[in-house]
């Protein structure tokens, strides 16, 4: 992990789940699911449209892919922790070993790299190399079909809840 010097003290993993290097995309997950799969669809989703899953899932080993796959204190970041990363760090679009993404520099000068890994819809990979989509653990409480995501392209970065829970997106774990 990397301590970016954030006010919360939260540490960010150096790689996505399933990745062996910081620039690798790793595995893709539907929101609230702990196993990756080959195809992502509405009908194959465990949480899409289901109100009972309109809860914060950080640290829940049955719903949080980071906790289920990495164990220990690893978990998915919340919407608020993603906002802290956005608001307190410097973001610079770079290419690392041929992979586009953001170098994110914390207040203390330490860095992580978030690859522009795109997202999976059905069995297709969309926007890899130009956009990054990373699940947070926070659902859209008012709409059981979406959850909050950290998203970016070369000219912007932020959070939104447009992510359909069945989309395959990467997860960058955090630890206290």
């Amino acid at each position: 992990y990397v301590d970016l010097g954030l006010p919360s003290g939260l540490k960010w993993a150096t790689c996505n789940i399933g990745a062996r290097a910081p620039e690798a995309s790793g595995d893709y997950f539907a929101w609230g699911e702990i196993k990756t799969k080959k195809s992502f669809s509405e009908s194959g989703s465990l949480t899409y449209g289901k109100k009972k899953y309109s809860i914060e899932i950080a640290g829940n080993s049955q719903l949080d892919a980071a906790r289920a796959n990495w164990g220990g204190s690893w978990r998915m970041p919340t919407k608020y922790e993603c906002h802290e990363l956005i608001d307190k760090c410097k973001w610079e679009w770079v290419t690392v070993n041929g992979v586009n993404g953001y170098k994110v520099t914390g207040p203390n000068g330490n860095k992580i790299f978030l690859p522009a890994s795109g997202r999976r819809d059905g069995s297709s990979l969309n926007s890899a190399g130009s956009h990054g989509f990373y699940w947070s653990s926070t659902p859209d409480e008012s709409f059981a079909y979406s959850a909050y995501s950290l998203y970016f392209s070369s000219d912007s970065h932020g959070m939104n809840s447009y992510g359909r829970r069945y989309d395959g997106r990467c997860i960058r774990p955090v630890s206290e």
Side-chain angles (χ1 to χ4, degrees):
Y1 63 78
V2 175
D3 179 355
L4 295 169
L6 297 168
S8 67
L10 195 67
K11 313 283 189 293
W12 285 78
T14 57
C15 297
N16 295 342
I17 298 173
R20 297 206 187 285
E23 67 275 13
S25 294
D27 295 328
Y28 294 78
F29 296 87
W31 188 85
E33 297 185 21
I34 60 174
K35 294 181 180 173
T36 190
K37 48 192 173 185
K38 292 184 193 264
S39 185
F40 295 84
S41 66
E42 197 174 309
S43 62
S45 173
L46 299 176
T47 67
Y48 183 76
K50 298 181 176 120
K51 283 291 238 188
K52 75 177 188 174
Y53 295 110
S54 293
I55 56 169
E56 176 62 54
I57 64 170
N60 179 334
S61 61
Q62 295 179 332
L63 300 170
D64 180 333
R67 180 62 54 91
N69 287 279
W70 285 14
S73 63
W74 291 108
R75 62 176 175 77
M76 294 169 67
T78 66
K79 170 177 102 171
Y80 301 103
E81 291 162 345
C82 289
H83 272 298
E84 181 183 51
L85 189 73
I86 293 164
D87 296 339
K88 303 293 184 191
C89 295
K90 178 185 170 204
W91 289 63
E92 179 184 3
W93 186 258
V94 298
T95 302
V96 174
N97 294 327
V99 177
N100 294 332
Y102 271 100
K103 177 173 66 171
V104 181
T105 306
N108 64 4
N110 290 341
K111 301 166 182 56
I112 59 172
F113 178 73
L114 296 173
S117 50
R119 66 179 179 82
R120 293 201 173 274
D121 184 7
S123 57
S124 299
L125 177 59
N126 302 312
S127 305
S130 63
H131 291 79
F133 302 92
Y134 288 77
W135 285 126
S136 82
S137 60
T138 307
D140 183 333
E141 302 85 3
S142 62
F143 193 60
Y145 299 93
S146 60
Y148 286 91
S149 288
L150 172 65
Y151 73 89
F152 56 80
S153 65
S154 63
D155 59 356
S156 68
H157 56 279
M159 290 289 297
N160 68 35
S161 67
Y162 302 132
R164 301 169 302 191
R165 292 182 186 179
Y166 66 82
D167 281 348
R169 297 179 181 216
C170 292
I171 296 174
R172 179 60 63 98
V174 296
S175 183
E176 317 284 348

